[in-house]
Amino acid sequence: MTNFTTISGFLLVTFPGNPEIEFLQTSLFSVFYLVALTGNMLIITAISIDRSLHSPMYFFLKHLSFLDLCYITTTVPRSICNSFMHSGTISLWECILQCFAFIVCGSTETAILTVMSYDRYVAICFPLRYETIMDTRTCVHGVLAVWISGFIAGVMHTSATFSIHFCGPNVIHQFFCDIPQLLKLSCSNDYIPELGVSAFMCLAAFVCFISIGLSYTHIFSTVLRIPSAEGRAKAFSTCLPHLCVVILFFSTGLFEFLRPPSDSPSVLDVLLTVLYTVVPPTLNPMIYSLRNKAMKTALRKVFKERKTNLFC
């Protein structure tokens, strides 16, 4: 039996014996990563430069974009590098660090989406008290709280996962150190503490989801009572992008973690993992920029300034 102290690393294997599919995966990952990197950096830059976007809503959006960058960077670049190097080996400590960073980013994103829903709830339901409730101190404390909660989740998950004893060839049938795949390498029932941590985190995610649902129940109830069609459209334009991001993030993540585990790896397993690790960080900037007029205007200013600087 091999234990935690003697393991030197793991082998990441996605499509063994299928170089064509592996090449396609690497090509798609490269495109997705470039799109995610460009989109999220543009949002961060636009919000930082445009003073009209210096409000709580865009303050949280800037942190969400930064989180999306971190989230996709923890997995995709290493997978692309492994493909180019024709090597899927990853050391133990690299695997630990990747698991920790992935859980921190995923948990923090869940928390910040909850905070953003509360921000929209206050803005729509209590517009006259919005600036008082969502002042600078509250926003900063909210961001600190979500990062701290994500860090705690990362420590809990990582310590519980890598305290188990691993057996077998140490082959992970995934493009990154995925915790469910790591648990399959357990020698005995010593993975039960990790299952307990996972159950606790699922409960926390469920509480976040319920909180978001309650916030939007009140939001839609208030919006539908707005007499003017223009007012309703303006309110929906600030809420619908966030709601689309929430649905995309929670639905893909829950579908992956709640589906029955498969004994033999397949292309479907990798595709389902891509849905919650790669797709949300890539689509989030598009969702916010396409549905938000203020963001479109700010992005035009960024491109205009860059074009002016190039010609100067």
Side-chain angles (χ1 to χ4, degrees):
M1 180 173 67
T2 306
N3 60 33
F4 174 74
T5 58
T6 59
I7 287 177
S8 59
F10 299 93
L11 181 65
L12 303 176
V13 178
T14 50
F15 303 109
N18 292 284
E20 296 85 4
I21 299 180
E22 187 177 345
F23 176 76
L24 178 61
Q25 175 201 324
T26 304
S27 302
L28 289 175
F29 274 15
S30 300
V31 172
F32 276 125
Y33 187 66
L34 287 175
V35 171
L37 188 67
T38 304
N40 285 293
M41 284 300 297
L42 280 174
I43 286 182
I44 293 172
T45 304
I47 294 174
S48 300
I49 293 176
D50 197 327
R51 290 185 175 275
S52 66
L53 300 182
H54 290 181
S55 64
M57 173 183 169
Y58 296 103
F59 174 77
F60 293 127
L61 176 57
K62 183 165 70 171
H63 282 273
L64 177 65
S65 294
F66 176 72
L67 262 173
D68 282 334
L69 279 178
C70 297
Y71 190 55
I72 195 170
T73 301
T74 58
T75 58
V76 172
R78 180 55 191 257
S79 176
I80 296 172
C81 181
N82 285 346
S83 180
F84 282 126
M85 298 295 292
H86 301 288
S87 172
T89 57
I90 183 170
S91 69
L92 173 64
W93 289 106
E94 285 177 313
C95 188
I96 292 174
L97 181 61
Q98 190 179 60
C99 281
F100 175 74
F102 182 76
I103 294 299
V104 168
C105 292
S107 302
T108 305
E109 183 149 345
T110 302
I112 203 167
L113 287 173
T114 307
V115 173
M116 290 175 74
S117 70
Y118 176 73
D119 170 70
R120 292 297 84 209
Y121 162 71
V122 176
I124 300 298
C125 299
F126 305 99
L128 299 180
R129 298 173 54 195
Y130 178 64
E131 293 184 2
T132 303
I133 297 174
M134 301 302 295
D135 57 6
T136 303
R137 184 178 179 182
T138 301
C139 294
V140 172
H141 285 177
V143 169
L144 286 175
V146 299
W147 276 106
I148 291 172
S149 66
F151 182 82
I152 293 172
V155 170
M156 291 173 61
H157 262 299
T158 308
S159 59
T161 299
F162 289 93
S163 64
I164 68 177
H165 297 79
F166 296 106
C167 293
N170 296 338
V171 175
I172 299 175
H173 293 281
Q174 199 54 264
F175 61 90
F176 71 103
C177 282
D178 192 22
I179 288 181
Q181 292 293 328
L182 284 167
L183 294 182
K184 291 181 180 180
L185 305 179
S186 174
C187 296
S188 59
N189 290 335
D190 54 359
Y191 60 82
I192 292 177
E194 166 57 23
L195 293 181
V197 173
S198 298
F200 174 76
M201 297 311 300
C202 284
L203 178 62
F206 180 72
V207 171
C208 290
F209 185 76
I210 293 298
S211 299
I212 294 172
L214 290 174
S215 295
Y216 273 98
T217 299
H218 289 291
I219 287 171
F220 289 138
S221 176
T222 303
V223 169
L224 293 175
R225 291 200 300 266
I226 297 177
S228 66
E230 183 181 352
R232 290 194 298 271
K234 185 178 180 180
F236 277 126
S237 68
T238 63
C239 296
L240 288 180
H242 176 258
L243 186 59
C244 291
V245 169
V246 168
I247 293 172
L248 177 66
F249 182 75
F250 276 93
S251 60
T252 53
L254 286 174
F255 185 75
E256 165 65 15
F257 282 100
L258 294 180
R259 70 186 179 90
S262 58
D263 296 328
S264 57
S266 65
V267 176
L268 181 61
D269 292 328
V270 178
L271 290 176
L272 291 175
T273 305
V274 168
L275 281 178
Y276 78 92
T277 57
V278 180
V279 174
T282 306
L283 292 185
N284 286 356
M286 299 181 190
I287 293 172
Y288 275 103
S289 60
L290 290 175
R291 294 288 305 177
N292 192 303
K293 291 182 179 179
M295 183 58 65
K296 287 181 183 178
T297 304
L299 289 173
R300 289 193 194 100
K301 288 181 181 178
V302 172
F303 283 116
K304 187 176 180 180
E305 288 182 8
R306 284 183 62 86
K307 187 176 181 181
T308 303
N309 292 334
L310 285 174
F311 281 108
C312 290

